Amino acid sequence: MLEVSRKLYMDDAGDRIVNYSINTTQNAQKFFTKVDEKKFQHFVYSNFFPLLENYNRETGIYETINYEKEEKIIRFLNTFINSKVGSRLYNFLQSKGIPGCSNKAEFKRTLKTKWFDLYRRSRKVLDSSGFEHVFVGEINSYTGKTIGFHNWVQYYSQQKAGNIKYLTHLEQCLENLHSLEFEWHNALKPCSGFAVGVSPAYDLAVFTLCHIAKPGKRCKVSYRNTDGNFKTAFVQTYTWRYTPHIASAYFLC
């Protein structure tokens, strides 16, 4: 686990964004003060951004996946599988004889089931998925609070759109692992942790690896620290009840 996660981090180097600035001081208006968006033209980002528009943020509202939305999912999964981190993950899982990973077509179906198949998070309608919860975020219709939302790219895009109110920088763990308190569309998120700068492919790979290896438990992964050395970081994943679907996944900080 530690060795393959270290290699996944190294494989992400070509898509990782390192030219950015953040503000962790008290009373800061914005977390991100600068992000170099050049790499947003890479397929791993350009096929990720359209997925952020696929979902209704309120739980309890039926999600519909029509042909256009399905095509966005397939394009992103194809991009992921053909990326360095996606290929590394596939080869590792296949070498270990993990069910659902015997070939790339089967691997893609496994990813789609884990991340994109809908399930009932609230009430009695198909209103959620692992991808929506982790990468997009949701607003709980009962509590009025933000749930999920563990991706820095989504945070940055929503900050640009004026939908984020940055409240507090809670902690920094290792290099670029941050936890924040913020409001999204006026819905409080008391604590959300994410890795800043990594590509969506890296997050998807590490979270998938941990969900397969340590579902519902803390999972040790290798992550580069500010001194350039790899240290142990922790990822938490959850399964949605007795299904193969991912309920949540995030870096612990």
Side-chain angles (χ1 to χ4, degrees):
M1 284 289 294
L2 291 176
E3 178 62 16
V4 71
S5 62
R6 183 187 68 81
K7 290 179 178 179
L8 288 172
Y9 186 91
M10 298 299 292
D11 288 339
D12 193 47
D15 291 316
R16 191 159 54 246
I17 295 175
V18 297
N19 187 11
Y20 65 85
S21 299
I22 59 176
N23 193 337
T24 61
T25 61
Q26 294 296 321
N27 301 317
Q29 297 298 307
K30 295 180 179 180
F31 179 62
F32 288 103
T33 57
K34 182 188 75 172
V35 172
D36 185 348
E37 299 184 2
K38 293 187 182 70
K39 289 189 178 179
F40 284 172
Q41 303 304 313
H42 292 196
F43 286 139
V44 73
Y45 292 96
S46 63
N47 286 330
F48 173 75
F49 279 112
L51 288 177
L52 303 179
E53 304 169 355
N54 261 16
Y55 303 97
N56 189 312
R57 62 181 175 270
E58 301 282 345
T59 64
I61 298 177
Y62 186 79
E63 295 284 2
T64 57
I65 303 297
N66 56 24
Y67 176 81
E68 181 182 357
K69 292 179 178 180
E70 183 77 10
E71 284 297 296
K72 293 179 185 178
I73 293 170
I74 297 304
R75 279 196 298 270
F76 176 72
L77 287 176
N78 287 338
T79 298
F80 172 76
I81 289 170
N82 292 314
S83 69
K84 286 186 177 181
V85 293
S87 295
R88 172 84 62 188
L89 178 65
Y90 164 69
N91 289 330
F92 175 77
L93 295 176
Q94 186 191 50
S95 72
K96 298 298 182 182
I98 301 299
C101 303
S102 62
N103 56 61
K104 285 195 172 182
E106 189 177 50
F107 179 51
K108 184 165 72 172
R109 288 194 295 270
T110 296
L111 291 172
K112 188 172 181 296
T113 297
K114 282 186 174 295
W115 285 104
F116 293 97
D117 279 6
L118 298 174
Y119 53 80
R120 295 170 175 84
R121 189 177 293 273
S122 175
R123 299 175 183 170
K124 296 182 179 181
V125 297
L126 297 172
D127 63 345
S128 186
S129 69
F131 183 88
E132 179 186 6
H133 184 80
V134 174
F135 288 89
V136 184
E138 301 175 279
I139 296 177
N140 188 298
S141 58
Y142 292 110
T143 67
K145 292 184 178 181
T146 295
I147 56 176
F149 204 127
H150 299 295
N151 180 258
W152 81 270
V153 179
Q154 166 69 339
Y155 184 99
Y156 173 67
S157 69
Q158 289 300 293
Q159 177 186 290
K160 282 186 65 177
N163 298 325
I164 293 285
K165 182 180 180 182
Y166 176 37
L167 299 177
T168 308
H169 181 266
L170 299 172
E171 192 174 357
Q172 178 174 355
C173 310
L174 303 181
E175 181 184 20
N176 307 330
L177 293 182
H178 296 269
S179 60
L180 312 178
E181 180 184 22
F182 60 90
E183 291 180 357
W184 180 44
H185 292 281
N186 299 314
L188 178 66
K189 178 66 177 178
C191 179
S192 181
F194 44 70
V196 177
V198 300
S199 77
Y202 171 81
D203 273 346
L204 191 79
V206 170
F207 294 160
T208 301
L209 175 66
C210 285
H211 186 255
I212 288 173
K214 299 278 187 178
K217 299 178 181 178
R218 292 202 315 170
C219 169
K220 292 182 180 180
V221 298
S222 289
Y223 196 89
R224 179 168 281 172
N225 200 8
T226 50
D227 61 7
N229 296 316
F230 279 90
K231 305 291 185 180
T232 299
F234 294 93
V235 169
Q236 177 73 54
T237 67
Y238 293 99
T239 301
W240 185 250
R241 297 179 180 174
Y242 302 103
T243 73
H245 311 318
I246 291 174
S248 191
Y250 51 87
F251 280 96
L252 292 168
C253 186

